[in-house]
Amino acid sequence: MFSIECKNLIKEFRSQSGSITPVDGLSLSLKAGEIHAVIGESGCGKTTLLRLIAGLETPDSGSVSFLPAGQTPTISIVFQEPRLFPWFTVEKNVALSVRHLSADEQNEKVRRVLELVGLSKYRELLPSQLSGGMAQRVGLARALCPEPDILLLDEAFSALDALTRSKIYPEFIRIHERQPVTTVLVTHDVTEAVLLSRNIYRLGKGRLLKTYCVDQPYPRTLATAGVGGLIEDILKDFLTETKGNGYEA
């Protein structure tokens, strides 16, 4: 498993109307095999950080590195929308992520991952026949099928209704425990961050403002001791000015 080291990252975007710097001197150390959540107001640099880790953007300065050094991790991304091809079945949508393999290898990997996410019975269905939660699980299965070293989730559950999210959270934890992978979850939802992650990083103006450790064992619910208090503390932090940063959430 790989850990992620972000050191003094700066990323600026320029246009005719001016420039913005969504990531401005950001440093993070993300431990291997754990789920890490990144939270913050819109424009604080969450998605840009994810894109820098994925290699979809190049930092203007600073670095993203992976340990153990000298090896290149495989990275998968799950977006807010599952982005399934409507004319492909569940099975074929998942197989796209391993299409470079032989047919036998594809079949075996798809079989295993569909069993992992609980979709074996629905392999022949089209996306139009799936609920929102099932479609999101297909997107997760497609990301997990190549057995990535790093999994990046960009608001992956935010399009789901509250009831579906309450069902998919424990499923996601079950999947992660069976196939541990270093995971970075970008989310606006503080409750989601607390229920799913071991560490929560609050960003503001492209910098790390505060880190929260979540010690409660999995699976967690709002009734788990300490969960409600931590959610309340984080929300209070969003409503107060962080001294020394000139930032108010």
Side-chain angles (χ1 to χ4, degrees):
M1 289 185 286
F2 283 79
S3 61
I4 306 170
E5 295 288 331
C6 302
K7 294 184 179 179
N8 301 315
L9 284 176
I10 296 177
K11 181 61 181 179
E12 181 181 17
F13 295 102
R14 299 180 180 87
S15 66
Q16 292 182 342
S17 58
S19 64
I20 59 171
T21 308
V23 173
D24 189 8
L26 177 62
S27 295
L28 286 176
S29 293
L30 306 178
K31 188 176 178 180
E34 294 189 351
I35 303 172
H36 307 271
V38 180
I39 62 174
E41 66 173 2
S42 296
C44 72
K46 301 188 300 296
T47 295
T48 301
L49 170 63
L50 213 66
R51 291 178 64 83
L52 288 167
I53 293 173
L56 300 175
E57 299 285 354
T58 302
D60 296 314
S61 64
S63 64
V64 176
S65 58
F66 307 99
L67 299 175
Q71 301 181 43
T72 301
T74 57
I75 299 175
S76 290
I77 306 178
V78 181
F79 297 98
Q80 181 175 352
E81 300 293 337
R83 302 186 181 184
L84 306 179
F85 288 95
W87 53 86
F88 282 171
T89 63
V90 166
E91 183 177 44
K92 288 184 178 180
N93 267 287
V94 174
L96 286 171
S97 63
V98 289
R99 58 189 180 278
H100 59 289
L101 301 178
S102 69
D104 287 344
E105 289 176 300
Q106 286 185 41
N107 291 337
E108 178 59 19
K109 282 185 175 290
V110 171
R111 183 195 64 77
R112 284 188 298 181
V113 79
L114 288 180
E115 180 181 345
L116 180 68
V117 302
L119 291 175
S120 296
K121 295 188 298 183
Y122 309 102
R123 60 192 309 133
E124 296 300 326
L125 294 186
L126 294 171
S128 61
Q129 298 171 294
L130 304 176
S131 67
M134 290 172 67
Q136 198 63 31
R137 276 194 283 167
V138 176
L140 181 61
R142 185 171 57 193
L144 292 174
C145 195
E147 300 181 34
D149 301 301
I150 295 171
L151 178 65
L152 306 178
L153 305 175
D154 191 4
E155 299 284 358
F157 308 119
S158 63
L160 304 177
D161 62 81
L163 180 59
T164 302
R165 288 200 304 271
S166 70
K167 294 178 180 178
I168 206 170
Y169 290 163
E171 281 295 300
F172 177 71
I173 293 301
R174 178 188 64 80
I175 292 165
H176 186 267
E177 288 177 340
R178 288 185 61 185
Q179 187 172 315
V181 57
T182 306
T183 302
V184 185
L185 165 67
V186 162
T187 180
H188 282 91
D189 190 328
V190 171
T191 298
E192 179 173 286
V194 172
L195 293 180
L196 296 183
S197 68
R198 285 291 180 194
N199 303 283
I200 301 172
Y201 306 91
R202 185 163 70 92
L203 305 189
K205 292 188 175 179
R207 297 185 179 186
L208 178 63
L209 297 184
K210 192 167 183 177
T211 300
Y212 308 87
C213 295
V214 190
D215 298 323
Q216 286 79 2
Y218 293 121
R220 304 176 191 137
T221 70
L222 291 175
T224 302
V227 164
L230 179 56
I231 293 171
E232 185 177 356
D233 288 343
I234 296 173
L235 291 174
K236 283 181 179 177
D237 286 342
F238 270 101
L239 298 174
T240 58
E241 185 175 9
T242 305
K243 295 180 180 180
N245 290 282
Y247 168 76
E248 187 173 353

